Amino acid sequence: MQRAIELAARGLGATSPNPVVGCVVLDAAGRPVGEGWHQRAGGPHAEIHALAEAGDDARGGTAVVTLEPCDHSGRTGPCTRALIDAGVARVVYAVADPNPGAAGGARTLAAAGISVEGGLHADEAAAGNAAWLTAVLHHRPHVTWKYAATLDGRTAAADGSSRWITSREARADVHRLRAASDAVLVGSGTARADDPHLAVRGVPGAVQPLRVVLDTEAAVVRPGARVLDDAAPTLVAVAKDADTTALDGAAEILRLPRGAREGPHADGADGSGRPGDRRPGLDLGALLAALYARGVRSVLLEGGGTLAGAFVAAGLVDRVVGYLAPVLLGAGPSALGEAGISTIAQALRLTVSGTERLGPDLRITAVGHPAPPARAGHRPSTTANEES
């Protein structure tokens, strides 16, 4: 199962709106004879790749898979039928499929006389499939907030300079994070200050994520911006009443309602944070619903502290990846802006899921506690097939 989980991770960033899945097939004597992973949406599932590699050696053997084999036909046939036809005697899976349209594989296999066991390394496999599980259970993309800061929590110096706080190794790791994501998101504040490119570099075979810029008033992104080149697709999200004349023909536009929050940083949802502007920014729930409808299942939030604060205040951050450099600045913008937290009792408590040294820097990954699933009948419309 550990090997199957490793294989599943190879599909990150390439399988949405489907899950990442890995499979290892053992022969009747328990020797590995085939392995595979789900490589792209619409392509063969992990079990199909593994069974093809195993051939006749799969008969009487065991299939070890990270997700309960699907029992429905979409763009591909049911994996349950492939396992039955291959003659496997036993199937061990990690995570039960929560998708009503594809679940039931374990029952079908058992009815065919195959021994079925579930739950092996379920937590680890679920963590690797967090984006897809979030989408199935909550009907929105999984959101990772990434930031880079000094040990005292500053993302730039007092004069605004920020290159480079973290090391080359940490910056290369960010590109791997992008490659594992369906969309990379920044606000207009970051777009104005940095003219970011947001595409993946240095990761062979990477599928470029959708680049999303929240520019509520359509006042920042202009033709010639690096994010508008042809390295990756780009979407500029604006308010429904924004004048987008300057962007005609230069970018795909997504019009969204404004959020209800007002105040000195009411435009925080677009990351601009101009003092004194009381016009609300974009409705972040509507943004995620629109991305979900496009098949986006994982979003990497790379905006500044104001945008991050808006997402935290809305309860829409599932994972945090912080790159900490052994540097002190003492002044400058902080990693997280206003997030609606005024007392220690309201603090958002996370669980550290990993730490790693990257050159001189430290990467800390922490996850939040899952929210209750969305209520029945509140699923947004989508043309994407969750499991095909």
Side-chain angles (χ1 to χ4, degrees):
M1 185 63 78
Q2 290 285 357
R3 176 58 178 165
I5 291 171
E6 292 174 4
L7 291 167
R10 297 185 182 182
L12 286 170
T15 65
S16 288
N18 292 352
V20 294
V21 183
C23 180
V24 176
V25 173
L26 312 175
D27 65 13
R31 296 175 298 230
V33 291
E35 60 181 33
W37 68 95
H38 186 36
Q39 299 176 15
R40 61 179 179 82
H45 289 189
E47 296 94 323
I48 307 305
H49 286 297
L51 289 171
E53 186 174 289
D56 290 339
D57 289 336
R59 189 162 300 277
T62 298
V64 182
V65 60
T66 57
L67 183 67
E68 178 185 3
C70 68
D71 194 39
H72 86 300
S73 295
R75 283 178 283 182
T76 60
C79 291
T80 50
R81 174 47 53 189
L83 291 163
I84 293 169
D85 291 346
V88 300
R90 181 177 177 229
V91 172
V92 179
Y93 65 88
V95 178
D97 193 331
N99 184 3
R107 291 192 301 271
T108 297
L109 293 170
I114 295 174
S115 173
V116 183
E117 302 171 42
L120 181 62
H121 289 294
D123 289 346
E124 188 175 350
N129 233 341
W132 181 77
L133 289 169
T134 297
V136 170
L137 295 173
H138 308 303
H139 313 316
R140 66 164 176 83
H142 182 273
V143 176
T144 295
W145 169 41
K146 182 278 300 181
Y147 72 93
T150 62
L151 282 182
D152 54 343
R154 305 299 178 178
T155 58
D159 65 356
S161 58
S162 62
R163 297 194 178 191
W164 296 101
I165 286 177
T166 53
S167 64
R168 179 177 56 193
E169 292 88 345
R171 298 195 298 275
D173 194 67
V174 170
H175 284 278
R176 290 189 286 271
L177 264 185
R178 288 179 180 175
S181 304
D182 297 331
V184 179
L185 173 65
V186 298
S188 60
T190 298
R192 180 188 295 109
D194 299 337
D195 188 21
H197 191 229
L198 302 181
V200 176
R201 299 188 298 276
V203 181
V207 176
Q208 291 289 349
L210 175 68
R211 299 178 292 188
V212 183
V213 181
L214 273 64
D215 187 3
T216 301
E217 309 300 339
V220 174
V221 181
R222 289 290 181 267
R226 297 175 68 215
V227 77
L228 296 181
D229 68 10
D230 59 2
T234 299
L235 183 68
V236 180
V238 303
K240 286 184 175 180
D241 58 348
D243 180 0
T244 58
T245 304
L247 284 173
D248 286 349
E252 182 181 358
I253 303 297
L254 172 65
R255 292 189 177 275
L256 295 171
R258 294 179 184 269
R261 190 165 71 109
E262 296 188 6
H265 299 287
D267 55 348
D270 75 358
S272 56
R274 293 183 296 273
D277 188 345
R278 301 188 65 86
R279 301 190 73 189
L282 300 177
D283 183 321
L284 298 181
L287 168 69
L288 292 184
L291 293 177
Y292 177 95
R294 296 173 66 101
V296 170
R297 296 297 178 262
S298 57
V299 171
L300 182 62
L301 176 60
E302 290 201 33
T306 306
L307 181 61
F311 268 83
V312 170
L316 295 174
V317 172
D318 302 292
R319 181 175 66 151
V320 179
V321 179
Y323 296 88
L324 299 181
V327 176
L328 299 175
L329 284 174
S334 61
L336 183 65
E338 166 60 37
I341 298 170
S342 57
T343 70
I344 194 65
Q346 296 174 320
L348 179 61
R349 303 287 181 176
L350 308 175
T351 299
V352 174
S353 59
T355 60
E356 184 175 348
R357 286 286 300 272
L358 296 169
D361 305 323
L362 178 66
R363 184 187 69 197
I364 300 178
T365 303
V367 296
H369 302 289
R375 298 190 305 277
H378 284 70
R379 183 186 183 112
S381 61
T382 174
T383 58
N385 187 333
E386 292 282 2
E387 178 68 37
S388 61

